[in-house]
Amino acid sequence: MNGGPTGPRPCPRARRIVLTGFMGAGKSTVGRILAARLGWRFYDSDHLVAAGLGITVAEIFERHGEARFRELEAAAIMEALTRDRIVLALGGGAIETPSVREQIFAVDNGTLTVFLSAPLPELLLRCHHGEQAAPVRPLLTAAEPPEERLKRRLPHYQCAHLIVDTSGIPATTVVEQLLAAL
Ligand code: S3P
């Protein structure tokens, strides 16, 4: 919702901030700025997985399939969450992996989870912007419509400690709202 973050549960004292939300939510952009403002390190689960194999996320999907990508993604997230003073941007589908949900929503483990939300048309517009040269999100062209994918994920995203509506809001403003809420 506009006007600031809201959330269903009280925030734990955060040693880590995990950003979740659908593709195009701005997790990496917001995460990078937020980490810089906090003086924390920034990690992006897509980059961790891709760096581990030395190929792109799109290539991992193509060569190894989504199931293998999800395993690598969950392992990279578990490893990142062993660190303190980090901001971690999750790939949009990581929330569908039960072990990831258990880890990021565990009570009092020092991890604050933030859902960056926006209406689907805006998310898709943001995804397609700048991706003309090289598509980097294989699932945007998959058989399952994004509406279905989002519908399935939404109840999980909404378990986040904080929910920020990023619709029409620049990343820097989202960061200010988050900092004010922390
Ligand atoms: C995915 C989102 C992507 C990436 C992969 C799958 C998804 O990350 O992990 O293409 O399932 O929604 P972003 O959310 O950073 O685009």
Side-chain angles (χ1 to χ4, degrees), residues 21-25 27-28 44-46 57-58 61 66 69-70 73 89-94 96 127 131 136-140 149 153 157:
F22 205 66
M23 293 172 269
K27 301 169 299 258
S28 304
D44 178 318
S45 68
D46 284 343
V57 167
F61 270 75
E66 180 173 352
F69 173 78
R70 295 296 170 206
E73 179 180 57
L90 300 188
E96 293 202 56
C127 285
E131 281 201 7
V136 294
R137 292 179 169 107
L139 290 185
L140 285 178
R149 211 176 283 280
R153 294 175 182 177
Y157 289 145

Side-chain angles (χ1 to χ4, degrees), residues 2-5 29-30 33-34 37 116 164-181:
N2 275 334
T29 310
V30 167
I33 302 170
L34 180 63
R37 289 289 305 273
L116 300 182
V164 188
D165 182 351
T166 66
S167 182
I169 303 176
T172 46
T173 309
V174 172
V175 170
E176 291 312 323
Q177 290 185 357
L178 279 171
L179 288 169

Side-chain angles (χ1 to χ4, degrees), residues 27-61:
K27 301 169 299 258
S28 304
T29 310
V30 167
R32 214 169 269 119
I33 302 170
L34 180 63
R37 289 289 305 273
L38 291 168
W40 290 8
R41 300 213 45 192
F42 173 69
Y43 294 95
D44 178 318
S45 68
D46 284 343
H47 289 176
L48 293 172
V49 175
L53 261 63
I55 54 178
T56 66
V57 167
E59 286 166 337
I60 298 172
F61 270 75

Side-chain angles (χ1 to χ4, degrees), residues 62-135:
E62 202 180 306
R63 291 188 206 172
H64 305 287
E66 180 173 352
R68 180 67 186 135
F69 173 78
R70 295 296 170 206
E71 286 172 8
L72 295 167
E73 179 180 57
I77 291 167
M78 296 310 152
E79 145 71 15
L81 290 175
T82 60
R83 298 159 204 221
D84 284 350
R85 295 169 65 82
I86 64 156
V87 176
L88 172 65
L90 300 188
I95 204 81
E96 293 202 56
T97 304
S99 62
V100 170
R101 292 202 298 272
E102 270 164 39
Q103 195 68 24
I104 65 172
F105 295 138
V107 178
D108 287 342
N109 68 349
T111 302
L112 177 87
T113 307
V114 179
F115 168 33
L116 300 182
S117 86
L120 187 60
E122 185 171 338
L123 293 167
L124 295 178
L125 211 64
R126 291 185 202 164
C127 285
H128 291 302
H129 185 78
E131 281 201 7
Q132 286 88 351

